[in-house]
Amino acid sequence: MVNNKPIVAILGGTGGLGTGLARRWAEAGYQIIIGSRTQDKAELAASELRDLMQERGVGSVQVLAMDNIAAATAAEIVALTVPFAHHTSTLLSVKNALQGKILIDVTVPLIPPKVARVQLPADGSAGQIAQNILGEGVRVVSAFQNVAAVHLQEGQGMDCDVLVCGDNKEARAQVIELVEAAGLRGLHAGSIANAAAVEAMTSLLIFINKQYKCHAGIKVTGMENS
Amino acid sequence: MVNNKPIVAILGGTGGLGTGLARRWAEAGYQIIIGSRTQDKAELAASELRDLMQERGVGSVQVLAMDNIAAATAAEIVALTVPFAHHTSTLLSVKNALQGKILIDVTVPLIPPKVARVQLPADGSAGQIAQNILGEGVRVVSAFQNVAAVHLQEGQGMDCDVLVCGDNKEARAQVIELVEAAGLRGLHAGSIANAAAVEAMTSLLIFINKQYKCHAGIKVTGMENS
């Protein structure tokens, strides 16, 4: 290890949000493992990220490519950014590899074609499903659902807060550190049950994006009283 | 009628949010009917509001007090600000009176004591429950769930958006007019199913209020692209 930052794996790290997060964290000096269903797919995204880091003068950061299970095994903190349709199967495949670790669940339970309509799962949220599947040995923390992938990828400052939900406060605090490393403000937002609010808000923001032709996010206001 | 603004009734208009909204709308020149379970209770709040309007130099605005059913009958637009425990019973009692009108549902499905934890009802949201109970003859529009009552009552500018959900776009637009009359920005936020996102967000904001000792709200960002 080149520094004392945890190694972060991003499962489903070849999509819009995954590559955006990988880019932000690599720039902040984290060692990154891009995970995908096959190592070949991961390698393509990793190679692009290495080129980008070279361009930006942070070529020394280590970016690896692995299949999802190997990535989950090798990393200390794991982020999950797969489409909802692959959420449960991916979690089941990495359940053993994740024991004792933090899983950052970025999944939003969008059910096409009505992605601008809130359709929460019976368990309440994707985050809650993840905690139920993985059991108490994994600290699931839900985050990043309301950040537009396009903004993360542009690598510019974003006027959007990250609401961080999870049953374990210390795990939430570690994820808030990663949120800040990505250039955003992270806020303690309660237990994993509260992931329902953030995931549902994504559908509402998709509606606003269509209605007002924008890439909307949200910001918590009124905190100056704190 | 002293002007062409619709007469607005506020059922459960004696609570924090109800008196806050009444105050805002009265100041904007709307005729207000405070509704409560009994006319006596409504009269107390109406009398206080009349005094306040006198102080603020808008004593000419008409503020009436009625029981909930009479208020729903007399008004053209009706807002509902009762605790979730009285939501269904109140709706059933005014169902006939509301036919053909707009109901602004401000209810949040908080279930004490865990009000900082998202606990959405099986139907998805209070707004959806209202639409289901009232039927297609009433256009239910969900709004104002994320606005801190204390800010409404202070009558000061508030840095909080109002996400307006409902199946009828024209009804949403009328409610957005009332939101703006109350001094806030209102946004089209999709169908009544999306009320789940806004109602759930209230529990999350309550958590943030406790965690950071503030009166939090939310604001949609990234709309400058529109």
Side-chain angles (χ1 to χ4, degrees):
Chain A
M1 278 176 61
V2 292
N3 55 39
N4 61 1
K5 292 192 171 81
I7 302 173
V8 180
I10 302 163
L11 311 186
T14 62
L17 264 172
T19 53
L21 287 171
R23 179 209 168 128
R24 295 264 172 172
W25 287 331
E27 279 196 59
Y30 285 83
Q31 292 182 72
I32 301 294
I33 305 173
I34 305 285
S36 189
R37 272 179 285 179
T38 65
Q39 184 170 349
D40 282 358
K41 276 194 67 183
E43 186 54 55
L44 189 67
S47 154
E48 286 174 5
L49 182 56
R50 276 184 221 113
D51 291 347
L52 183 65
M53 289 305 107
Q54 201 77 48
E55 266 176 45
R56 298 184 66 82
V58 281
S60 65
V61 73
Q62 196 171 44
V63 179
L64 301 174
M66 300 184 187
D67 67 56
N68 282 331
I69 297 173
T73 304
E76 295 167 84
I77 295 185
V78 178
L80 180 65
T81 64
V82 295
F84 185 53
H86 302 143
H87 184 246
T88 292
S89 61
T90 307
L91 286 168
L92 288 171
S93 73
V94 295
K95 177 174 177 175
N96 288 336
L98 291 180
Q99 296 302 310
K101 301 179 180 174
I102 292 173
L103 177 79
I104 308 173
D105 197 349
V106 184
T107 310
V108 178
L110 298 178
I111 304 174
K114 294 196 172 174
V115 294
R117 185 186 179 89
V118 175
Q119 301 180 83
L120 290 171
D123 282 12
S125 65
Q128 186 70 63
I129 289 173
Q131 187 66 74
N132 294 350
I133 288 177
L134 298 173
E136 287 182 6
V138 181
R139 289 163 293 163
V140 174
V141 178
S142 168
F144 293 108
Q145 286 87 354
N146 297 335
V147 182
V150 60
H151 287 156
L152 274 176
Q153 288 175 312
E154 283 165 1
Q156 293 165 7
M158 289 157 292
D159 194 23
C160 183
D161 284 336
V162 174
L163 300 166
V164 177
C165 303
D167 293 340
N168 183 284
K169 187 172 184 175
E170 196 269 330
R172 288 202 309 261
Q174 282 196 56
V175 173
I176 287 174
E177 243 179 72
L178 278 163
V179 171
E180 288 168 356
L184 295 150
R185 181 171 73 161
L187 296 172
H188 284 278
S191 70
I192 196 69
N194 288 3
V198 191
E199 295 175 15
M201 188 56 68
T202 302
S203 292
L204 193 150
L205 291 174
I206 291 171
F207 182 92
I208 287 179
N209 288 347
K210 288 182 183 176
Q211 178 78 27
Y212 297 98
K213 307 205 189 314
C214 61
H215 295 290
I218 65 162
K219 200 120 187 120
V220 175
T221 57
M223 294 191 67
E224 62 283 0
N225 305 340
S226 65
Chain B
M1 278 176 62
V2 292
N3 57 39
N4 61 0
K5 292 192 171 79
I7 303 172
V8 181
I10 301 162
L11 311 186
T14 61
L17 265 171
T19 54
L21 287 171
R23 178 208 169 129
R24 294 265 172 171
W25 288 331
E27 279 197 58
Y30 286 83
Q31 294 182 72
I32 302 294
I33 306 172
I34 305 285
S36 189
R37 272 178 287 179
T38 66
Q39 185 169 349
D40 282 359
K41 275 195 69 184
E43 187 53 58
L44 189 66
S47 153
E48 285 175 3
L49 181 57
R50 277 184 220 113
D51 290 348
L52 183 65
M53 290 304 107
Q54 201 75 50
E55 266 177 45
R56 299 183 66 82
V58 281
S60 64
V61 72
Q62 197 171 43
V63 179
L64 300 174
M66 300 183 187
D67 66 59
N68 283 331
I69 296 172
T73 305
E76 295 165 84
I77 295 185
V78 178
L80 180 64
T81 64
V82 295
F84 185 53
H86 302 143
H87 183 248
T88 293
S89 60
T90 307
L91 286 167
L92 289 170
S93 73
V94 295
K95 177 175 179 174
N96 289 337
L98 291 181
Q99 295 303 310
K101 301 180 181 174
I102 292 172
L103 176 78
I104 308 173
D105 197 349
V106 186
T107 309
V108 178
L110 298 177
I111 305 174
K114 294 196 173 175
V115 294
R117 186 185 178 90
V118 175
Q119 300 180 84
L120 290 172
D123 282 12
S125 65
Q128 187 69 63
I129 290 173
Q131 188 64 74
N132 293 350
I133 288 177
L134 298 171
E136 286 182 6
V138 181
R139 289 163 293 162
V140 174
V141 177
S142 169
F144 294 109
Q145 285 87 352
N146 296 335
V147 183
V150 60
H151 288 156
L152 275 176
Q153 288 175 312
E154 282 165 2
Q156 294 165 6
M158 289 159 294
D159 192 24
C160 184
D161 283 336
V162 175
L163 300 166
V164 178
C165 303
D167 292 341
N168 183 284
K169 186 170 185 177
E170 197 269 328
R172 288 201 309 259
Q174 281 195 57
V175 173
I176 287 173
E177 244 179 71
L178 279 163
V179 171
E180 287 168 357
L184 294 150
R185 181 171 73 160
L187 297 172
H188 284 278
S191 70
I192 196 68
N194 288 3
V198 192
E199 296 176 15
M201 189 55 68
T202 302
S203 292
L204 194 151
L205 291 174
I206 292 171
F207 182 91
I208 287 179
N209 288 347
K210 288 182 181 173
Q211 179 77 26
Y212 298 97
K213 305 203 189 320
C214 60
H215 296 291
I218 65 161
K219 198 113 190 128
V220 175
T221 58
M223 295 190 67
E224 63 281 0
N225 306 340
S226 66

